[in-house]
Amino acid sequence: MATLFRQTIGAKSSPDLNWENPDVRAAVHDVMNFWIDRGACGYRMDVINMISKVQSFPDAEPILGSDAKYHPGWKYFVNGPRMHEFLQEINRKVLAPRNAITVGEMPGVSDIHEVIHVDNEKGKVRFTLQDWTVSDVAQIVNRWQCAMTEHDGWNSVFIKNHDNPRSVSCFTDDSDAFRTYGAKLLSLMQTTLSGTLFVYQGEELGMRNMPRSWDPDEYKDIEAINFWKKSRALYAHDPEKLAYQKTILQRKARDHARTPMQWDSSPNAGFCDDGATPWMRVNDDYRNINAEMQIAPKSEADEISVFHFWQHGLAKRKAHAKSLIYGYFQLVEPQHEHVFAYVRAEKKQGEDSGEKWLVALNFSGKKVEWDVPAHLKVQSWVAGNYINGKVEKGRTMKVELKAWEGVLGACQ
């Protein structure tokens, strides 16, 4: 009797579809058309570059050593031989006829030419902690902002999705003292970068990670469950290492992005009726961080909410689209320890006409004296994440930036 196998790149309960089968592809197209016909404007396609596999299904090379049970096999199921064929078929049979928008998640792709080829197509334990620097952020943003301009491509601008911890907790200080400033800092950065901007649910409120006091049993994502199960097996007799593994879980788990949306201060944060049980526990801070509180009108004396700051940033982005969306990016002082600064301009460097903006972001919890480069003449500071978005700074060549402060300046 023949033995049958099924391929599961993800969870065991989620077998991969056989895209080699034309009937399977037709069924996928039918589902996509079903929702577009009912008003969906497009799709976010998860790990879409894993739909084509090498059909000989070879074993992965033992690159992790003879002691490892499993080895990376990415080259056999990522960016497979028929990937472009399948994507073009989706475009031809579903997307193009209905003028639908799509964005694809494509892990394992880092070469700019691979990215552009898709973009411009005609018609040990999984969790680890890694320190990062402001310079790292600056170099990554600079690489992709410039690469897309130079190769006539287009960026997806985001720092948060359902697979990552909350951005305000990951990149800034999410304490009660600085959470609002950190969330606004990240908003100022994203609304001044080229590309299509994606704001993840709760990001516009500055929602943060689940409290560290929560027990690992509160985590529901299979990745987190497997990580903690394996950690307890490996370090059952080493409390110090197990505590470190718990810290990793608390900082890296995808569950942080999946807590129920915090609509108001009622039970369950207004996500579901009182007495109902949501799929996972609502963050304890929902009474102080929720949509109802943030969308409420404020007096001029009150500090504007993260939500209203996003609104102001998006309005400015649209009003100055030629420079802030479609313009040129120039990194300023790439090796600064605390400040990520860049210029957004309507024209290329050396051309005098057109709008020009300076963005300076202090990614630290300390006050910084930052020197404005001599070749940049700031005419006025027009936005910032302190004092209701108004910036009270002189036009000197030295600017004092408070902890987690970001400013936007109009240049001559």
Side-chain angles (χ1 to χ4, degrees):
M1 181 181 293
T3 301
L4 299 178
F5 296 89
R6 68 178 186 181
Q7 186 174 34
T8 55
I9 300 299
K12 291 181 179 179
S13 58
S14 302
D16 289 19
L17 296 179
N18 179 15
W19 283 75
E20 300 291 325
N21 186 332
D23 292 337
V24 170
R25 299 200 303 275
V28 171
H29 302 157
D30 182 61
V31 171
M32 297 180 73
N33 284 325
F34 176 91
W35 290 109
I36 292 177
D37 289 344
R38 281 155 181 78
C41 61
Y43 289 95
R44 187 266 190 194
M45 300 182 179
D46 197 72
V47 292
I48 194 62
N49 59 330
M50 294 186 183
I51 59 178
S52 173
K53 281 87 170 176
V54 174
Q55 290 300 291
S56 59
F57 301 103
D59 290 337
E61 290 81 2
I63 61 176
L64 298 181
S66 58
D67 294 336
K69 184 178 180 179
Y70 301 106
H71 303 271
W74 290 83
K75 68 179 183 179
Y76 298 123
F77 60 83
V78 173
N79 305 329
R82 300 185 69 186
M83 180 187 71
H84 287 285
E85 175 189 343
F86 295 157
L87 292 178
Q88 290 166 4
E89 185 179 42
I90 291 174
N91 183 61
R92 186 172 63 253
K93 296 185 176 181
V94 178
L95 304 175
R98 292 165 174 78
N99 195 31
I101 186 173
T102 58
V103 56
E105 179 195 26
M106 302 185 67
V109 179
S110 58
D111 188 292
I112 182 62
H113 298 289
E114 287 184 340
V115 176
I116 294 298
H117 180 56
V118 175
D119 184 62
N120 286 347
E121 195 72 51
K122 293 182 179 180
K124 304 172 189 178
V125 178
R126 172 144 164 48
F127 289 155
T128 58
L129 294 181
Q130 179 177 343
D131 292 332
W132 58 273
T133 67
V134 176
S135 179
D136 292 335
V137 174
Q139 297 294 346
I140 292 170
V141 174
N142 179 66
R143 176 191 177 192
W144 290 104
Q145 287 285 295
C146 294
M148 288 300 179
T149 301
E150 293 167 1
H151 293 84
D152 193 27
W154 192 246
N155 271 304
S156 294
V157 178
F158 68 98
I159 57 173
K160 176 80 201 78
N161 65 17
H162 66 289
D163 282 334
N164 294 285
R166 294 285 175 180
S167 55
V168 71
S169 300
C170 184
F171 296 107
T172 72
D173 182 347
D174 68 356
S175 67
D176 290 341
F178 290 107
R179 178 194 62 85
T180 295
Y181 299 122
K184 293 177 183 178
L185 176 87
L186 299 176
S187 170
L188 180 58
M189 179 182 74
Q190 293 177 86
T191 54
T192 55
L193 294 176
S194 287
T196 298
L197 176 57
F198 293 84
V199 185
Y200 184 75
Q201 59 92 1
E203 188 177 7
E204 77 281 18
L205 306 180
M207 283 177 59
R208 55 190 168 190
N209 283 354
M210 306 179 317
R212 292 193 175 188
S213 59
W214 284 15
D215 190 87
D217 290 341
E218 297 285 358
Y219 293 76
K220 307 301 182 186
D221 176 43
I222 189 170
E223 195 171 71
I225 292 172
N226 288 341
F227 170 83
W228 187 238
K229 180 180 179 181
K230 185 173 184 179
S231 296
R232 287 193 298 175
L234 288 172
Y235 307 116
H237 304 293
D238 192 332
E240 185 175 347
K241 286 187 176 180
L242 187 61
Y244 180 69
Q245 294 299 100
K246 185 177 180 180
T247 297
I248 294 176
L249 177 68
Q250 292 167 333
R251 290 178 59 181
K252 297 280 287 185
R254 301 190 297 188
D255 298 77
H256 296 299
R258 303 175 182 188
T259 55
M261 181 66 177
Q262 295 166 206
W263 293 108
D264 56 40
S265 59
S266 66
N268 292 322
F271 178 81
C272 55
D273 294 337
D274 187 12
T277 303
W279 71 76
M280 68 181 301
R281 181 174 169 182
V282 178
N283 198 314
D284 297 342
D285 60 14
Y286 73 90
R287 292 179 180 84
N288 298 314
I289 303 174
N290 61 67
E292 184 179 59
M293 291 180 64
Q294 294 208 24
I295 65 176
K298 305 287 186 180
S299 68
E300 290 189 7
D302 293 330
E303 180 181 338
I304 65 173
S305 67
V306 176
F307 176 83
H308 285 133
F309 190 85
W310 267 102
Q311 282 191 318
H312 293 175
L314 292 172
K316 188 175 293 294
R317 177 179 176 83
K318 291 179 180 180
H320 302 278
K322 289 183 178 180
S323 51
L324 295 181
I325 300 179
Y326 304 106
Y328 293 89
F329 179 95
Q330 178 190 352
L331 185 60
V332 176
E333 202 173 351
Q335 299 301 322
H336 197 282
E337 184 180 4
H338 301 299
V339 178
F340 174 28
Y342 51 91
V343 170
R344 298 306 320 282
E346 185 178 346
K347 304 292 184 179
K348 290 183 179 179
Q349 187 176 4
E351 299 180 8
D352 295 331
S353 60
E355 291 182 336
K356 182 183 293 186
W357 306 89
L358 171 64
V359 182
L361 309 166
N362 178 15
F363 272 88
S364 78
K366 60 180 69 176
K367 181 174 67 176
V368 174
E369 294 280 347
W370 183 66
D371 295 318
V372 179
H375 69 282
L376 295 173
K377 308 298 181 184
V378 178
Q379 186 175 20
S380 62
W381 297 102
V382 299
N385 61 340
Y386 273 71
I387 318 175
N388 283 341
K390 300 175 183 177
V391 184
E392 298 178 354
K393 300 185 184 298
R395 289 186 290 170
T396 63
M397 300 309 292
K398 187 178 291 291
V399 176
E400 180 182 289
L401 296 173
K402 301 181 183 71
W404 308 107
E405 182 175 12
V407 293
L408 174 67
C411 298
Q412 296 178 348

